[in-house]
Amino acid sequence: MYVLGISRVHDSAAALVRDGEIIAFAEEERFTRIKHDGGLPAEAIAFCLRQGGITLADVDHVAYYWQRWQEPLHAAKVFARYFPRTLEVLRNDNGDEGGRSAGMLETLKSGGGKGVDDYHVGGALLAHVKRSFTLGRDVRAAVGHTGPTKFDVHLVDHHRAHAGSAYYICPWEESAILTLDGIGSDGTSTYLAHGQGSRITDLRRIKFPHSLGAMYAGVTGYLGFYPTRDEGKIMGLAPFGRDTYVEQFKKLIHLDPDGGFELDLSWFRHHTSGKHMMSQKFADTFGPARPRTKVTAENPVPQHYMDIAYALQVTLEEAGLHLARWLQRQTGSTRLSVAGGVALNSVMNGRILLETPFEDFFAQPAAADDGCALGAALEVSVGKYGRPRPRDGFTYTGPEFSESEMEVALQDAGIEYQRVDDIARHTATKIADGLIVGWVQGRMECGPRALGNRSLLADPRDPESKTRMNEKVKHREAFRPFAPSCLVERAGDYFVSDHPSPVMLLVFDVLEHQREAVPAITHADGTARVQTVSREDNPLYWTMISEFEKITGVPMVVNTSFNDNNEPIVATPADAIACFLKTDVDALALGPFWAQKPYLEDENE
C-alpha cells in the first residue's frame, strides 16, 4: 500500500510510505531553491514517485495535514475570529491549480514563505478547506498525470500529523507525545497525547491564542528579526543576555496548577491583528522594538535586546518543563516523543530530558510543518490501516546521485578535481589541517539541520573555525553557534549527557574541562547542540570522524548545513559546486571526488 503525504503553506514537503517503509521524504525548497517554499510540493512529489519507481496511478492514498472532514466549521470559526482577512481571501480565491490565490502567491513571494504575516496564512488556511475538495485534481496537475488514479484523499488533523511524524518512527512501543507550534488547523497550538502500539490517544489540547509558538514569534519580531523564520537565531542570541527581565516575563504567561498554561493576552497582538506583534503595553514596559536592520560588527544587537532574548528563552523552557512534567504524570511513561516547530528549540529539549522524569527522548528531524507530510502519511498507513511502523530510514530520505552524475557536474563546472581512494581519511586530514570542507555523500537528510550528508565541516579545536564560517562562508550573524558531530561512543567524554542525539535537537553543557579543547563548538554559555553519530546510522560519516580522532585525539568535527545564508541546504552536485565556488569553502568532498581551491593548493606546495 502506497501512501503519499503532503504538507504546504510554508515549508511544504512530500513523503511516500510503502507499508512499513519510508521510501522518500523531502522539502520542496531543496528542489526549487526557494527557502521555506510554501506552494504545492510538485517537485517533491515527483521525486518521491521516482524514488519509489511508481507513478501516481500506483498511489493508494493521499494524506494532507489538514483537518478532518467533520471539523471544517470549527477551523473556519477559529481563523475568521483571529485573522481579519480570512473571509476576504476566501471570497477572492480563484481556484488556481497551484492551490494559492494570486494575492497569497504575491505575499509568499514577497514575504519569503515562512516569514509571511499570520493573517495571510490564516486566509490561506481557510482557503485550504475549500481547496481540499479539489486536492486530488491539484496533485494530478502538479505532476502532469493525465491517466486514471485510484487514490483516496485523507485530511489529517494537523497536530495528529505532528504526533505521528515522531511517535510512529520512534523506537519504542509506548511513549508520551508532546507537539508544540504556533497554530494548527483546528486552532490547537499544544497537543499532549499517549502512544501505545499503533494507537495515539489524545490527552489534552491547548488552543490558540494561547500559543508558545506565537509568544516566541511575537518577541522574535520585537527583537528585529523575522517571526516564524528566525526563532533559531533568538535561541542562539539568548546566552549573551542577562537575567534582567526574567521575573517580568513571568507575567506574560500563567502556568496553571493542572499542567496547562494561558498567555496574558494584554501583552500580545497576535490574536487581534493576525500578525506576530506585541502590544503597546509590552513596548511601554520594555521599550521600543529593535529596528529590523542587519546585525554586523558595526551594528550589533544592544545588550538590552539580548537580555529580552534571554528572558524569552527561559520563559519558553519553563513552560516546556511544566507541560512535560504534567504529561509524564498522566502517562507514567519514561519516554517522550516531540514534534512541532517549537520542538526545534533544542535548548528546551535538553532541559526536558535532564530535568523531568523522562529518561528517553525522541525528536523528529523535520519537526516543523514539513514533517507533517510524513506524519500525515503515517497516520493513514499506521493509524488508519494498521500497517507496520517504520523504525529506521527516517533521516536520510532525500535524493542521492551516482558517481558518474557527480563527475559530470564537476566537469560541467570546469573545476579541477581528483578521485580519492579513501575520501573519509583524506577529508579528515584536510579538516585537521584547517580547511573548511563541503561534504556531500549519500542521500540528502530531511529537516533544517545538516546531519552529515550535506554538511560544511571544520576543526572544532580552532576558535577561528567559528568566526570564519560565520563571516566568510555562511555570511550570517557572529553570535550564532555551530554544532559538533561527535562519535556516539565518545559523547560522554565531552558533554554532561551521553544520551543519543542523532538529529541535533538536544543541547547539553560541554564539560568544563573540555571547553578549551573544542572552542569552535562551545557556545557563550558553555553549551553545544550535539549531534551524535553512530556507525549504524551513517557509516561513512562515522568513519571520517573516527579518522579525525586518530589524527587529533578529538572525536568530533564542526558541522553546519551546506548552504549560504538564506538559501536552502544543497541537494544536487550542481548546488554543492555552486555554493563551493561562491563562498570561502576551501574544499569539496563530492562522493569520492575531491576539489580544492587553487590558492590553497599553491600554499600547500
Side-chain angles (χ1 to χ4, degrees), residues 176 323-335 356-358:
L323 291 164
R325 288 170 179 144
W326 180 88
L327 181 59
Q328 198 280 326
R329 290 194 299 270
Q330 293 297 308
T331 62
S333 180
T334 59
R335 296 162 174 160
T356 72
F358 287 114

Side-chain angles (χ1 to χ4, degrees), residues 393-432:
F394 54 80
T395 302
Y396 305 102
T397 57
E400 60 183 333
F401 299 88
S402 66
E403 291 184 15
S404 61
E405 289 174 312
M406 294 177 182
E407 191 164 19
V408 167
L410 289 164
Q411 292 170 349
D412 288 346
I415 59 176
E416 294 186 7
Y417 66 93
Q418 60 179 308
R419 183 187 177 90
V420 176
D421 291 335
D422 188 344
I423 194 66
R425 179 165 180 77
H426 186 82
T427 300
T429 301
K430 295 295 186 177
I431 294 172

Side-chain angles (χ1 to χ4, degrees), residues 329-398:
R329 290 194 299 270
Q330 293 297 308
T331 62
S333 180
T334 59
R335 296 162 174 160
L336 177 64
S337 301
V338 301
V342 179
L344 292 174
N345 195 293
S346 46
V347 179
M348 177 190 72
N349 294 341
R351 288 194 64 189
I352 288 174
L353 174 62
L354 297 179
E355 299 180 34
T356 72
F358 287 114
E359 299 172 5
D360 289 304
F361 179 94
F362 182 86
Q364 150 67 272
D369 279 3
D370 48 349
C372 283
L374 178 60
L378 292 174
E379 180 67 12
V380 171
S381 178
V382 179
K384 185 175 179 66
Y385 290 103
R387 293 302 197 269
R389 292 169 53 191
R391 296 308 177 93
D392 54 21
F394 54 80
T395 302
Y396 305 102
T397 57

Side-chain angles (χ1 to χ4, degrees), residues 219-387:
V219 182
T220 294
Y222 168 85
L223 292 172
F225 295 89
Y226 287 95
T228 73
R229 192 173 73 188
D230 287 343
E231 281 76 4
K233 295 182 182 182
I234 305 307
M235 183 176 67
L237 180 66
F240 293 92
R242 303 165 300 195
D243 64 358
T244 309
Y245 301 116
V246 171
E247 287 301 315
Q248 287 174 283
F249 256 67
K250 289 181 180 179
K251 299 175 183 178
L252 273 64
I253 184 170
H254 175 70
L255 303 179
D256 298 330
D258 69 348
F261 71 88
E262 288 186 347
L263 300 184
D264 180 343
L265 296 174
S266 67
W267 297 94
F268 302 90
R269 286 192 59 204
H270 62 269
H271 60 299
T272 59
S273 69
K275 300 180 181 181
H276 288 305
M277 296 174 62
M278 308 306 289
S279 69
Q280 187 61 46
K281 177 181 177 180
F282 189 93
D284 291 342
T285 303
F286 298 105
R290 188 183 81 84
R292 191 169 290 171
T293 56
K294 184 177 181 180
V295 177
T296 63
E298 296 74 29
N299 183 39
V301 178
Q303 185 65 49
H304 168 71
Y305 296 106
M306 291 193 286
D307 294 346
I308 290 174
Y310 179 88
L312 172 66
Q313 179 62 33
V314 169
T315 302
L316 175 69
E317 292 167 19
E318 293 298 327
L321 288 166
H322 178 73
L323 291 164
R325 288 170 179 144
W326 180 88
L327 181 59
Q328 198 280 326
R329 290 194 299 270
Q330 293 297 308
T331 62
S333 180
T334 59
R335 296 162 174 160
L336 177 64
S337 301
V338 301
V342 179
L344 292 174
N345 195 293
S346 46
V347 179
M348 177 190 72
N349 294 341
R351 288 194 64 189
I352 288 174
L353 174 62
L354 297 179
E355 299 180 34
T356 72
F358 287 114
E359 299 172 5
D360 289 304
F361 179 94
F362 182 86
Q364 150 67 272
D369 279 3
D370 48 349
C372 283
L374 178 60
L378 292 174
E379 180 67 12
V380 171
S381 178
V382 179
K384 185 175 179 66
Y385 290 103
R387 293 302 197 269

Side-chain angles (χ1 to χ4, degrees), residues 77-205:
K77 288 179 179 178
V78 169
F79 291 105
R81 177 180 179 185
Y82 293 118
F83 301 104
R85 291 196 61 203
T86 291
L87 297 179
E88 177 187 341
V89 172
L90 182 61
R91 283 194 301 268
N92 292 340
D93 175 47
N94 293 317
D96 57 298
E97 288 294 310
R100 292 173 293 185
S101 68
M104 183 60 188
L105 179 59
E106 290 305 311
T107 301
L108 285 168
K109 286 180 178 178
S110 63
K114 195 173 180 180
V116 300
D117 289 337
D118 254 355
Y119 78 85
H120 293 296
V121 175
L125 288 173
L126 183 55
H128 277 316
V129 174
K130 173 182 175 181
R131 295 185 187 115
S132 295
F133 293 94
T134 59
L135 183 63
R137 180 202 66 190
D138 292 344
V139 170
R140 286 188 286 269
V143 297
H145 184 88
T146 57
T149 56
K150 61 180 178 180
F151 60 78
D152 296 322
V153 173
H154 303 261
L155 302 184
V156 177
D157 173 85
H158 185 87
H159 275 268
R160 290 283 297 208
H162 273 315
S165 76
Y167 174 67
Y168 288 136
I169 62 176
C170 82
W172 316 306
E173 285 299 318
E174 175 276 332
S175 170
I177 305 168
L178 176 62
T179 72
L180 313 99
D181 65 7
I183 183 172
S185 54
D186 71 335
T188 298
S189 70
T190 304
Y191 175 73
L192 303 97
H194 193 197
Q196 296 170 294
S198 296
R199 186 180 69 225
I200 295 174
T201 302
D202 292 17
L203 296 179
R204 185 174 199 164
R205 290 175 183 260

